[in-house]
């Protein structure tokens, strides 16, 4: 998802737990929220920093593929909508960075880890947005997949993360709907526009499925995260839910999901579908996707080019504060 | 490494004349910028009519480990709640 392949700790059996760890686990089992200053196992803190940090980075890097089309949106209204959406993503990044900071990591540290390639962001943002229809597909599929993951995370055990998710989910529905509205327009447009919409679906379908992370049988870090309620559903559960929700939406558009094996399965009450190419997924995660270098390069450049501005504002603030301060010891 | 902007806690009064409520935090070089940034992030959809910001470092919080001793004294004083008193039904709503 926005946080894929988050390294967690090995699952501890109850006999191996200290009294504090047992008490902590019982609080989580009772559905209590854990707040920043309360005692928590070091592994819980570390895993959350990785997960929330990765989630935050995804929001910020996720601005790039869509930002690519702001200046070329087909109408002024579409431009204003896309701009608002991309601004929202910056806010989502902020909420999440703030949540991570309550765990004792600084914003600058998180930025440095991202820029050094030591923290990841979602694989999905390493794919290019080639046409305007891609902006529709991103809103519809990528934000759709994000909602699937983020709605259950509103119930996560860590208070600040849960509250950030609640704020984000309130805004996310606008994102998905504006994307689907673009797809409707394109799918009902000229044959060429419809072809563009189909092409966007073809290219984004499998990368969207990859957002949920590897198949459960290969997902090594889930058990402890689920016990701690920082992961609520398994990757495959969410992927299945996403497919079941999205296929009828594609049908409404008159578009074809690019999976010849997609078939309704009456027994399980869901669709059977093909898994994405996992070797591609691991390549993209390893830094070898179509846009990895561009994306990270753009982030590093923005950070470095903005340094004089951040420092300038700070220097100004310090000067103003010194001027206001009462003259000490007359 | 350059100096990080300080952290501010943001409080917003909603449309309904309620108290200011904590909504989140952000980094800004000074209070004025913190208010501007809070406006840009936390009131994008008519969420508020007034903003407070305060440096996070200025907040003193009760300690989680004192939760028991700190709040226990009121837990035992059930008579502070109206439901402690039985009022006969004939008396009507009170």
């Amino acid at each position: 998802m926005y946080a894929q392949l988050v390294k967690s700790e090995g699952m501890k059996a109850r006999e191996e737990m200290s009294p504090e760890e047992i008490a902590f686990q019982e609080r989580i089992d009772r559905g209590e929220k854990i707040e920043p200053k309360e005692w928590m196992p070091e592994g819980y803190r570390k895993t959350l920093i990785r997960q929330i940090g990765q989630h935050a980075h995804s929001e910020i890097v996720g601005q790039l593929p869509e930002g690519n089309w702001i200046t070329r949106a087909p109408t002024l209204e579409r431009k204003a909508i896309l701009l608002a959406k991309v601004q929202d993503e910056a806010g989502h990044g902020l909420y999440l960075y703030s949540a991570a900071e309550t765990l004792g990591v600084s914003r600058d540290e998180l930025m440095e880890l991202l820029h050094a390639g030591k923290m990841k962001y979602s694989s999905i943002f390493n794919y290019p947005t080639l046409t305007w229809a891609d902006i529709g597909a991103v809103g519809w599929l990528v934000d759709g997949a994000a909602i699937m993951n983020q709605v259950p995370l509103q119930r996560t055990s860590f208070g600040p993360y849960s509250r950030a998710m609640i704020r984000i989910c309130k805004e996310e529905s606008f994102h998905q709907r504006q994307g689907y509205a673009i797809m409707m327009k394109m799918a009902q447009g000229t044959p060429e526009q419809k072809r563009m919409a189909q092409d966007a679906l073809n290219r984004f379908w499998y990368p969207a499925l990859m957002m949920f992370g590897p198949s459960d049988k290969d997902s090594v870090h889930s058990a402890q995260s689920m016990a701690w309620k920082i992961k609520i559903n398994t990757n495959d559960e969410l992927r299945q839910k996403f497919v079941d929700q999205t296929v009828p939406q594609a049908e409404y558009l008159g578009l074809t999901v690019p999976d010849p094996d997609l078939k309704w399965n009456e027994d399980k009450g869901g669709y059977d579908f093909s898994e994405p190419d996992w070797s591609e997924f691991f390549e993209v995660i390893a830094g070898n996707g179509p846009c990895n270098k561009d994306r990270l390069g753009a982030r590093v450049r923005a950070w470095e080019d903005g340094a004089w501005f951040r420092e300038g504002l700070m220097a100004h603030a310090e000067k103003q504060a010194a001027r206001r301060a009462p003259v000490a010891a007359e | 490494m350059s100096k990080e902007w300080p952290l501010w806690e943001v409080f917003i009064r909603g449309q309904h004349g309620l108290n200011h409520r904590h909504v989140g935090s952000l980094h800004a070089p000074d209070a004025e910028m913190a208010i501007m940034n809070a406006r840009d992030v936390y009131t994008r959809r008519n969420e508020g009519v007034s903003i407070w910001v305060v440096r996070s470092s200025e907040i003193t919080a009760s300690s989680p480990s004192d939760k028991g001793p700190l709040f226990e004294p009121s837990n035992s004083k059930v008579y502070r709640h109206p439901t402690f008193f039985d009022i006969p039904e004939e008396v009507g709503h009170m």
Side-chain angles (χ1 to χ4, degrees):
Chain A
M1 178 30 51
Y2 273 21
Q4 301 152 319
L5 286 178
V6 175
K7 239 191 278 161
S8 175
E9 308 296 308
M11 176 81 178
K12 261 195 183 172
R14 208 179 160 88
E15 313 78 84
E16 304 170 306
M17 288 185 188
S18 68
E20 285 107 327
E21 285 171 322
I22 291 176
F24 178 83
Q25 188 61 51
E26 282 170 350
R27 289 189 60 198
I28 289 180
D29 295 343
R30 280 197 299 272
E32 282 180 34
K33 294 279 183 250
I34 308 301
E35 295 298 339
K37 288 188 171 165
E38 294 169 347
W39 186 89
M40 60 184 79
E42 216 26 53
Y44 179 84
R45 179 188 303 276
K46 281 192 188 145
T47 308
L48 269 176
I49 290 175
R50 281 194 288 259
Q51 179 171 330
I52 302 174
Q54 199 183 112
H55 200 152
H57 296 326
S58 299
E59 302 284 354
I60 298 301
V61 177
Q63 294 182 288
L64 298 169
E66 291 180 295
N68 182 36
W69 279 90
I70 290 174
T71 56
R72 287 174 288 157
T75 68
L76 192 55
E77 187 186 50
R78 291 284 179 201
K79 180 175 178 167
I81 293 170
L82 184 57
L83 190 57
K85 198 248 180 200
V86 173
Q87 285 172 344
D88 276 356
E89 305 295 1
H92 294 182
L94 166 71
Y95 306 154
L96 288 159
Y97 283 127
S98 299
E101 283 173 88
T102 66
L103 291 160
V105 65
S106 78
R107 181 84 57 98
D108 283 7
E109 279 174 75
L110 289 170
M111 288 295 168
E112 279 164 16
L113 287 166
L114 171 70
H115 296 158
K118 290 179 184 156
M119 277 183 95
K120 303 212 177 300
Y121 53 89
S122 176
S123 58
I124 190 73
F125 302 118
N126 292 311
Y127 291 86
T129 45
L130 303 176
T131 74
W132 174 251
D134 288 11
I135 299 305
V138 166
W140 171 36
L141 301 174
V142 176
D143 290 271
I147 291 171
M148 215 44 106
N149 178 55
Q150 291 175 157
V151 165
L153 276 178
Q154 293 178 102
R155 292 181 281 117
T156 188
S157 61
F158 186 55
Y161 193 24
S162 155
R163 293 189 285 274
M165 282 295 116
I166 290 169
R167 292 194 68 86
I168 288 174
C169 285
K170 273 190 194 153
E171 297 177 351
E172 205 72 78
S173 163
F174 150 59
H175 297 178
Q176 193 186 15
R177 292 172 73 132
Q178 65 87 34
Y180 196 70
I182 292 173
M183 292 306 274
M184 284 199 291
K185 201 85 184 165
M186 302 288 286
Q188 292 157 7
T190 63
E192 197 191 347
Q193 285 173 318
K194 189 169 179 184
R195 264 200 306 280
M196 284 166 71
Q198 180 64 55
D199 173 58
L201 172 58
N202 291 349
R203 282 181 292 107
F204 276 95
W205 175 255
Y206 287 105
L209 294 188
M210 292 177 199
M211 288 176 68
F212 299 97
S215 164
D216 291 349
K217 57 185 188 293
D218 304 317
S219 185
V220 279
H221 303 296
S222 286
Q224 181 62 72
S225 288
M226 291 186 88
W228 280 335
K229 289 194 191 155
I230 56 184
K231 187 178 171 101
I232 310 287
N233 302 94
T234 73
N235 298 350
D236 285 337
E237 278 167 18
L238 290 172
R239 193 168 10 250
Q240 180 71 51
K241 241 177 124 179
F242 174 74
V243 171
D244 293 345
Q245 176 191 285
T246 308
V247 169
Q249 295 168 351
E251 281 167 0
Y252 178 85
L253 294 170
L255 301 179
T256 310
V257 172
D259 179 358
D261 296 326
L262 183 81
K263 207 169 83 236
W264 178 255
N265 181 332
E266 194 61 54
D267 294 338
K268 74 171 180 186
Y271 286 91
D272 290 331
F273 57 94
S274 305
E275 296 225 345
D277 174 358
W278 291 117
S279 60
E280 177 183 321
F281 169 76
F282 287 109
E283 277 296 302
V284 175
I285 289 279
N288 303 318
C291 300
N292 294 56
K293 287 190 181 65
D294 275 8
R295 299 296 187 232
L296 200 55
R299 284 312 313 158
V300 172
R301 212 163 43 247
W303 182 251
E304 286 173 356
D305 290 354
W308 69 271
F309 183 72
R310 293 191 301 274
E311 283 158 20
L313 284 183
M314 198 64 234
H316 175 73
E318 279 164 357
K319 211 158 119 189
Q320 295 289 5
R323 225 171 257 168
R324 269 196 302 267
V327 182
E330 280 186 39
Chain B
M1 198 177 91
S2 64
K3 212 155 130 215
E4 196 166 309
W5 288 352
L7 193 64
W8 302 77
E9 299 301 323
V10 180
F11 299 80
I12 306 261
R13 185 201 298 285
Q15 302 276 16
H16 318 294
L18 299 173
N19 291 327
H20 283 76
R21 198 170 158 222
H22 183 244
V23 293
S25 51
L26 49 78
H27 288 273
D30 56 31
E32 290 74 19
M33 284 296 294
I35 295 255
M36 295 308 286
N37 290 352
R39 195 262 330 248
D40 289 346
V41 181
Y42 291 108
T43 63
R44 286 172 61 71
R45 293 176 175 83
N46 298 322
E47 288 96 334
V49 293
S50 165
I51 301 173
W52 289 350
V53 293
V54 58
R55 285 278 283 262
S56 308
S57 57
E58 298 293 316
I59 290 181
T60 308
S62 63
S63 155
S65 54
D66 288 347
K67 206 157 56 181
L70 194 60
F71 299 110
E72 198 286 326
S74 73
N75 288 347
S76 56
K77 298 175 177 58
V78 282
Y79 48 82
R80 290 179 178 178
H81 294 277
T83 44
F84 180 75
F85 305 94
D86 289 324
I87 304 292
E89 234 170 80
E90 307 88 276
V91 178
H93 176 74
M94 186 181 282

